[in-house]
Amino acid sequence: TFPLLLTLFFLVLSIALIAAYWYLPKSTVTLHVRPESISHAFELTANSQITSPDTEKLEIPATPIEVTSSEEKTVPTTGSKLVGDRSTGEVSIINGTSQSKNFASGTVLTSPSGLRFVTASDVSVASASGSADPNSYQPGKAVVKITADQIGTDSNLSAGTQFKIGSFSSLDFIAKNDAAFSGGSSRQVKAVSKEDISKLRTALQDAVKSKTTSQLNEQVQAGEIVISESTQSQTVTESFNHKLDEIADELTLKLAVKATALVISKDHLTQFVSAQIQSQIPASYSLTDDVTYKFTVKSKNAQTSTLTIDATAHLLPILDVYSITKTLAGKYPQPAVDFLSSLP
């Protein structure tokens, strides 16, 4: 009996050792899973005419907000203008014809150098007179005040200058000044230029735009997103203190602008993004919480803005941990590594 008991003892011990070898050793395997990234772009319309999301038409409710802002700015003028006085004087109009002649106020007289003058009043000039005696000939003559048609000292002509009257022949009518003209002067002064108006308008529009953008953002509640690209601006009033070419050292503009923009719910937008991303996930992967998106405005009008949404998500493969554990049990390291390498 003793040999039998001894044999039985060693048999039980062997079984126990084998079982202990198989079941007692344990190992913890840590799997490092690399996320897969997917990107998805789609269009979504922010519509101020609806009150609830429309998943079929991909429309999200939008709320219009409005602000009015005004600004004032003054800049030095950079334009210049020639100003001055017109030369004045008197001329004698000489009529060499046999008939009297009336000249209306504003009749143009031209100097030999091409300077223009106009008569200040109507004037009547008698006809020439005389007898058969050649020495008795006397042309008709009348005196009238004239004013230069241009400013400047060039019109201060010396005495004895002869002038052509309108389109009449100098053999019939001529004008002459017995005294020099005076009073003509000119100088350059600062004035409003087109560039002054344009630059001031642009600068003030930019300033008001920045101000209205801040004011619009201040109206946005928590959980809302303002579509800044949907902002539309309209000039309410624009008032310059001087006009183009007006003499001035400074130019001031007062500008009032009304700005409107659309606001959408962040929760609504997130729901649309999640739904669109979910439809792109392969069956063997699951979505992590790391979903990011950005949007740009494709088109807009007063009631709607069409948004292009670019979403990015990170996915993890779905792994059957229980099945992996059973498969690894009892394997040597290399077969275990080979098996794990075959997993996604």
Side-chain angles (χ1 to χ4, degrees):
T1 9
F2 178 75
L4 180 60
L5 290 175
L6 187 59
T7 301
L8 188 58
F9 170 76
F10 281 111
L11 180 61
V12 171
L13 180 60
S14 298
I15 294 174
L17 290 173
I18 293 173
Y21 174 80
W22 186 262
Y23 290 105
L24 290 181
K26 294 187 178 296
S27 176
T28 298
V29 179
T30 302
L31 302 180
H32 295 274
V33 183
R34 183 181 65 250
E36 294 286 345
S37 296
I38 61 170
S39 298
H40 179 57
F42 65 98
E43 289 186 2
L44 182 66
T45 300
N47 190 346
S48 62
Q49 305 299 305
I50 62 174
T51 57
S52 58
D54 189 330
T55 55
E56 291 185 1
K57 294 182 179 180
L58 290 180
E59 291 187 338
I60 186 172
T63 302
I65 58 175
E66 176 184 306
V67 296
T68 300
S69 182
S70 59
E71 284 286 331
E72 180 177 333
K73 186 177 178 65
T74 300
V75 296
T77 56
T78 62
S80 64
K81 185 177 183 179
L82 185 66
V83 299
D85 298 312
R86 291 177 170 84
S87 176
T88 59
E90 289 184 343
V91 295
S92 296
I93 296 181
I94 301 171
N95 181 1
T97 68
S98 59
Q99 295 186 4
S100 63
K101 179 65 177 177
N102 294 323
F103 293 96
S105 174
T107 297
V108 177
L109 280 65
T110 307
S111 73
S113 62
L115 295 174
R116 289 162 56 91
F117 296 79
V118 292
T119 57
S121 61
D122 297 341
V123 61
S124 179
V125 186
S127 62
S129 62
S131 62
D133 183 0
N135 295 324
S136 66
Y137 172 77
Q138 291 292 332
K141 183 183 294 187
V143 177
V144 66
K145 292 183 180 297
I146 64 172
T147 302
D149 197 34
Q150 57 282 315
I151 63 173
T153 57
D154 289 345
S155 299
N156 295 333
L157 301 180
S158 60
T161 302
Q162 290 188 353
F163 300 85
K164 179 178 175 59
I165 302 175
S167 59
F168 294 102
S169 170
S170 298
L171 297 177
D172 295 330
F173 302 99
I174 197 169
K176 182 179 179 181
N177 65 327
D178 296 325
F181 294 161
S182 63
S185 65
S186 65
R187 67 188 187 278
Q188 290 285 346
V189 296
K190 295 187 70 175
V192 179
S193 68
K194 287 184 179 179
E195 188 177 32
D196 294 335
I197 294 175
S198 176
K199 284 187 174 181
L200 179 56
R201 179 185 286 121
T202 299
L204 202 54
Q205 285 176 342
D206 291 343
V208 174
K209 181 180 179 180
S210 177
K211 186 176 180 180
T212 55
T213 298
S214 298
Q215 291 176 330
L216 288 171
N217 287 327
E218 290 172 359
Q219 289 195 21
V220 176
Q221 305 297 320
E224 292 181 333
I225 301 174
V226 61
I227 306 174
S228 57
E229 295 93 334
S230 71
T231 302
Q232 297 193 8
S233 300
Q234 178 183 353
T235 299
V236 178
T237 58
E238 180 185 82
S239 176
F240 287 96
N241 66 333
H242 294 291
K243 297 179 180 179
L244 178 65
D245 290 332
E246 199 168 288
I247 300 172
D249 292 330
E250 293 181 331
L251 179 65
T252 299
L253 171 60
K254 296 179 180 179
L255 184 67
V257 172
K258 180 176 73 175
T260 58
L262 295 179
V263 172
I264 57 177
S265 165
K266 187 174 182 179
D267 287 342
H268 286 161
L269 181 57
T270 302
Q271 290 170 11
F272 272 100
V273 172
S274 297
Q276 287 290 314
I277 284 292
Q278 197 68 44
S279 66
Q280 306 299 313
I281 299 175
S284 58
Y285 284 82
S286 63
L287 181 65
T288 69
D289 294 332
D290 190 13
V291 179
T292 59
Y293 60 85
K294 61 181 180 179
F295 65 82
T296 55
V297 174
K298 179 181 179 181
S299 61
K300 64 180 181 178
N301 56 42
Q303 288 80 35
T304 65
S305 287
T306 301
L307 312 178
T308 299
I309 313 292
D310 292 303
T312 301
H314 298 288
L315 310 178
L316 289 177
I318 299 174
L319 301 177
D320 186 347
V321 177
Y322 177 75
S323 175
I324 293 173
T325 301
K326 289 193 57 127
T327 303
L328 289 177
K331 278 193 168 48
Y332 285 99
Q334 189 55 50
V337 169
D338 294 340
F339 166 72
L340 292 175
S341 299
S342 68
L343 297 178

